[in-house]
Amino acid sequence: MTLDKNFLWGGATAANQAEGGVLEGGRKLSNIDVLPCGEDRKKVALGELEMLDWQDGYYYPAKEAIDMYHRYMEDIQLFAEMGFKVYRMSLSWSRIFPNGDDAEPNEEGLAFYESIFKELRKHQIEPLVTIAHFDVPIHLIKTYGGWKNRQLIEFYTRYAETVLKRYKGLVKYWLTINEINILLHQPFVGGGIIFKEGENQEEIKYQAAHHQLVASALATKIAHEVDSRNQVGCMLAGGSHYPYTCRPEDYQEAINRDREGYFFIDVQARGKYPNYALKKLAREGLNIVMEVGDKEILAASPVDFVTFSYYCSRTVSAHSEDYEQSTGNIFASIKNKNLPSTEWGWQIDPLGLRNSLNQLYDRYQKPLFIVENGLGAIDIPDSNGYVEDEYRIDYLREHIQAFKDAVEIDGVELLGYTTWGCIDLVAASTGQMSKRYGFIYVDRDDEGNGSLARSKKKSFYWYQQVIETNGENLSSENLNIEK
């Protein structure tokens, strides 16, 4: 087996990390817009520090981001030059429904995305569209409490139905909710949730998760009704857990931690709550309200394919306090001494990608799609903006070889691969621009200075070659580089 000739090579961005144009074209604030750069960012993301508007003394990188709002035609031209078959992007909920609960959508926002899809079509690039990528309008947080409130199911499905109908014939690949399991780790990011003193935080998170799962199933149902050609996927923040030792209790801990994320995808892919999740909720006394008809909604509309992000594996132990912890990633992990680390402490494990692919495919027997994978690194450009980023090429080469092995040796059914941050953008975890992922350098620093000019890195030409050869030539020698 080799990669299918129609394998979807491309790259990925998110509206809140690339678009900018906040408060332009009728758009209003969302939760990610108010995440500041700096030490308070994590507190806001966790729902521990309430920040529902821009405040003096903070820099908000999403406000302008890399200004794709005004530069998308230039960026799509660069993607086309690389040979993209697919471009994963997200819609801004608050650009289409500025308050989230509006009776009618914002036409200017709808027209903006329609123009993007038409530009992609002109270049024969298939859009893969995430309906909600860490994006909750601030009004829904202030008025309803975010996804803890069941009314968000109604608002989300209205939003989903609007875009599914509007873009019929322009988009056929959809994702309902990005990295849905992040809700358990960063509730404000994943669900617009801010905790009040005395609240049962675990119960609130799982109640919000139930609301998102029902909303996702309803969106999937609508997508299939609107256009039978629509394909709908779910999205997991992936990466398998390794037991730190061969002690049985460490292995059990790895199983439990994998299940923490698989719970969401089990429901979305199989249409019902897994027994282990129901036992956990009962054992921990978490009273999750499920309305009459919810089980039927979940059962009626499982997703068509499963997507996930993969940056690193994670290592856990039943006695994790005894070991050195890795840094950077929002998922707690013991530092794996068998693996190198990035400048931000994320551990590099290409074989872990193959392992994750096999685990997911064995579990769901549905087509898979890697929709995020990349290396965040400090790039030093020359006077022309060119970056000799061999380190990024090395990272991606090894991960591409790993997923090729999963397909060619293990028989995993893989639809495509979109690298994260195909163009430099605002890093979600830190708000930094200096943590760069792209094939395209953007002249912007962590304080918002720079011309925003785009320039091609060495990896641009390498990925162009990879796509052209359908992954057969992964060498970075003798590239046709234009400086």
Side-chain angles (χ1 to χ4, degrees):
M1 293 177 64
T2 58
L3 295 180
D4 187 271
K5 65 179 181 179
N6 297 317
F7 188 80
L8 293 171
W9 294 95
T13 66
N16 56 69
Q17 292 169 257
E19 204 170 273
V22 176
L23 304 186
E24 293 190 53
R27 185 186 185 284
K28 291 188 177 181
L29 288 177
S30 72
N31 53 334
I32 305 302
D33 299 328
V34 298
L35 290 182
C37 199
E39 60 183 18
D40 282 341
R41 186 178 182 87
K42 185 175 181 181
K43 295 178 183 177
V44 177
L46 292 172
E48 296 174 351
L49 174 63
E50 182 172 328
M51 190 176 289
L52 297 177
D53 208 338
W54 291 328
Q55 299 180 12
D56 293 340
Y58 289 97
Y59 169 58
Y60 298 94
K63 187 174 183 179
E64 191 174 10
I66 61 167
D67 196 30
M68 193 177 275
Y69 183 70
H70 298 105
R71 296 170 179 256
Y72 67 87
M73 292 184 72
E74 173 188 358
D75 295 335
I76 291 171
Q77 176 62 46
L78 288 166
F79 300 158
E81 187 177 339
M82 267 189 285
F84 278 20
K85 309 298 183 187
V86 64
Y87 170 49
R88 183 194 171 212
M89 55 173 282
S90 72
L91 307 176
S92 167
W93 189 346
S94 59
R95 192 175 294 287
I96 294 175
F97 284 91
N99 296 300
D101 62 353
D102 314 76
E104 298 295 331
N106 172 32
E107 175 56 32
E108 193 169 350
L110 287 168
F112 168 69
Y113 291 114
E114 184 173 336
S115 66
I116 290 179
F117 298 143
K118 288 180 176 178
E119 187 68 17
L120 289 168
R121 174 161 293 237
K122 187 169 74 175
H123 292 283
Q124 297 181 309
I125 300 173
E126 195 78 57
L128 169 60
V129 178
T130 309
I131 297 173
H133 189 126
F134 301 151
D135 192 35
V136 184
I138 287 292
H139 174 73
L140 296 185
I141 300 171
K142 289 181 176 180
T143 307
Y144 302 94
W147 277 99
K148 69 170 72 173
N149 192 315
R150 188 179 173 90
Q151 284 185 268
L152 262 74
I153 298 175
E154 174 191 347
F155 303 141
Y156 173 88
T157 51
R158 181 189 303 165
Y159 163 47
E161 183 172 12
T162 298
V163 298
L164 286 161
K165 288 182 175 178
R166 177 62 175 257
Y167 305 129
K168 179 181 179 181
L170 290 173
V171 180
K172 70 176 181 181
Y173 293 111
W174 297 91
L175 304 181
T176 54
I177 297 174
N178 179 69
E179 291 187 330
I180 190 168
N181 52 317
I182 290 292
L183 175 64
L184 301 181
H185 303 274
Q186 291 192 340
F188 184 74
V189 169
I193 294 170
I194 300 170
F195 295 115
K196 298 177 181 178
E197 187 175 351
E199 287 185 322
N200 185 331
Q201 295 188 9
E202 285 299 297
E203 187 169 275
I204 286 173
K205 286 189 286 188
Y206 277 96
Q207 183 67 66
H210 178 71
H211 295 155
Q212 288 191 348
L213 291 167
V214 172
S216 174
L218 288 169
T220 304
K221 177 177 183 290
I222 294 166
H224 291 150
E225 292 172 346
V226 167
D227 190 341
S228 61
R229 294 169 296 179
N230 278 336
Q231 293 288 295
V232 184
C234 55
M235 206 300 211
L236 169 75
S240 302
H241 291 84
Y242 298 153
Y244 188 72
T245 74
C246 58
R247 291 183 300 185
E249 58 267 34
D250 282 359
Y251 181 66
Q252 181 65 51
E253 181 65 17
I255 292 173
N256 292 338
R257 294 286 288 277
D258 277 344
R259 280 176 166 175
E260 188 179 82
Y262 289 158
F263 149 67
F264 293 88
I265 312 304
D266 283 351
V267 178
Q268 291 174 297
R270 293 171 168 169
K272 65 178 183 179
Y273 273 66
N275 287 343
Y276 68 80
L278 295 174
K279 287 289 188 180
K280 170 188 170 63
L281 296 174
R283 184 171 61 250
E284 297 182 8
L286 303 179
N287 181 30
I288 308 305
V289 178
M290 300 184 189
E291 300 288 346
V292 174
D294 282 359
K295 291 181 179 179
E296 290 74 17
I297 291 170
L298 296 176
S301 299
V303 294
D304 303 303
F305 63 102
V306 174
T307 80
F308 67 105
S309 59
Y310 180 87
Y311 297 95
C312 55
S313 56
R314 304 149 200 162
T315 304
V316 296
S317 170
H319 308 281
S320 58
E321 67 278 0
D322 298 337
Y323 305 111
E324 181 183 0
Q325 301 293 304
S326 66
T327 59
N329 198 302
I330 67 170
F331 296 96
S333 175
I334 297 170
K335 187 170 184 179
N336 188 332
K337 296 179 181 179
N338 299 296
L339 300 173
S341 299
T342 72
E343 292 163 290
W344 276 266
W346 295 38
Q347 298 210 266
I348 301 172
D349 182 11
L351 183 56
L353 174 57
R354 180 178 173 184
N355 294 336
S356 294
L357 283 162
N358 275 284
Q359 286 183 326
L360 289 168
Y361 193 63
D362 288 349
R363 192 178 187 95
Y364 301 117
Q365 293 294 296
K366 287 179 181 281
L368 304 180
F369 202 131
I370 305 164
V371 293
E372 290 186 30
N373 173 239
L375 175 71
I378 295 172
D379 291 339
I380 307 298
D382 66 14
S383 58
N384 297 316
Y386 176 77
V387 178
E388 189 82 18
D389 57 341
E390 194 71 40
Y391 42 87
R392 179 168 292 109
I393 293 171
D394 289 342
Y395 175 96
L396 293 172
R397 178 193 296 114
E398 292 177 6
H399 284 77
I400 290 172
Q401 186 58 59
F403 77 64
K404 285 182 63 182
D405 289 344
V407 172
E408 296 169 5
I409 299 173
D410 306 328
V412 168
E413 185 179 358
L414 186 63
L415 298 175
Y417 173 72
T418 56
T419 67
W420 177 248
C422 48
I423 181 171
D424 291 346
L425 38 62
V426 176
S429 57
T430 65
Q432 296 172 294
M433 278 297 301
S434 57
K435 187 181 183 184
R436 299 178 181 273
Y437 288 87
F439 303 117
I440 301 163
Y441 185 85
V442 178
D443 181 26
R444 192 71 159 180
D445 67 17
D446 291 345
E447 286 73 47
N449 305 305
S451 67
L452 292 170
R454 275 69 162 152
S455 56
K456 304 168 189 175
K457 305 176 189 179
K458 182 177 182 179
S459 57
F460 180 100
Y461 302 97
W462 173 79
Y463 198 50
Q464 183 182 60
Q465 172 186 271
V466 170
I467 297 174
E468 184 179 5
T469 64
N470 200 27
E472 291 302 304
N473 188 352
L474 302 181
S475 172
S476 59
E477 297 180 3
N478 303 316
L479 295 172
N480 185 20
I481 296 174
E482 302 171 5
K483 291 189 180 180

